[in-house]
Amino acid sequence: MANDTTITRFSANEDTSRYTPSPISTQFLKFLGQFADWIEKERDIADVNVWDPAFSGWLRDAELAQERVTGALSALIKEAPTRPSDKPLKLAAYLVHLTMCSECPGEVARFAEIARRKADHFRMVDDSATHRRVNAMIRTALTLFESFVALDLVGYAPGDDLDTWAPCP
């Protein structure tokens, strides 16, 4: 009987000076662009009068951007991690997804507080090119997340005290 050998390279044999994207990191990078675009479109309509003739087009653009973000999050969450550096990216995607699904400002406040207090848990500690790239994506994601929770559509202001929010009914 023959012995089976794996054809997957061990991570110890990989070149640490070169970044090789995984399916999750590729999708996450695409998600970051879509998330930034959605936040920008929501900011564009935040202070606009709904009776402005151009408002319906801007609103449609914002809704389409939200659909793209939701689709990108669904794909990210369904994708199986292929290496350890995929896990913090999925964790950040879950955090955004849970925040988007929140039913009250208190839940949004709780997730925002988790993101602030546990930001170091999202980052990789190893010193390879892949981990540096993942850390850069996580920093961008956390910055965008702070911008997202500051939008009027989630009903929470980042300066608010967490203790002032009552739990959701």
Side-chain angles (χ1 to χ4, degrees), residues 56-73:
S56 64
W58 295 333
L59 179 61
R60 184 177 61 251
D61 290 345
E63 289 170 345
L64 289 173
Q66 181 181 6
E67 287 177 20
R68 284 191 294 273
V69 167
T70 304
L73 277 174

Side-chain angles (χ1 to χ4, degrees), residues 20-89:
T20 307
S22 69
I24 287 182
S25 63
T26 303
Q27 288 180 357
F28 194 82
L29 196 57
K30 182 179 173 185
F31 158 73
L32 287 177
Q34 293 169 340
F35 195 36
D37 183 51
W38 179 37
I39 291 169
E40 182 180 338
K41 290 184 184 315
E42 287 292 340
R43 284 182 182 156
D44 287 346
I45 63 172
D47 297 321
V48 176
N49 187 348
V50 295
W51 300 110
D52 188 324
F55 179 78
S56 64
W58 295 333
L59 179 61
R60 184 177 61 251
D61 290 345
E63 289 170 345
L64 289 173
Q66 181 181 6
E67 287 177 20
R68 284 191 294 273
V69 167
T70 304
L73 277 174
S74 297
L76 260 170
I77 290 170
K78 289 178 186 175
E79 189 76 36
T82 58
R83 59 185 182 195
S85 60
D86 289 340
K87 291 180 181 179
L89 299 176

Side-chain angles (χ1 to χ4, degrees), residues 2-20:
N3 292 335
D4 292 334
T5 59
T6 61
I7 59 172
T8 306
R9 293 173 29 167
F10 291 109
S11 59
N13 296 332
E14 292 181 7
D15 184 8
T16 59
S17 64
R18 205 180 92 210
Y19 169 68
T20 307

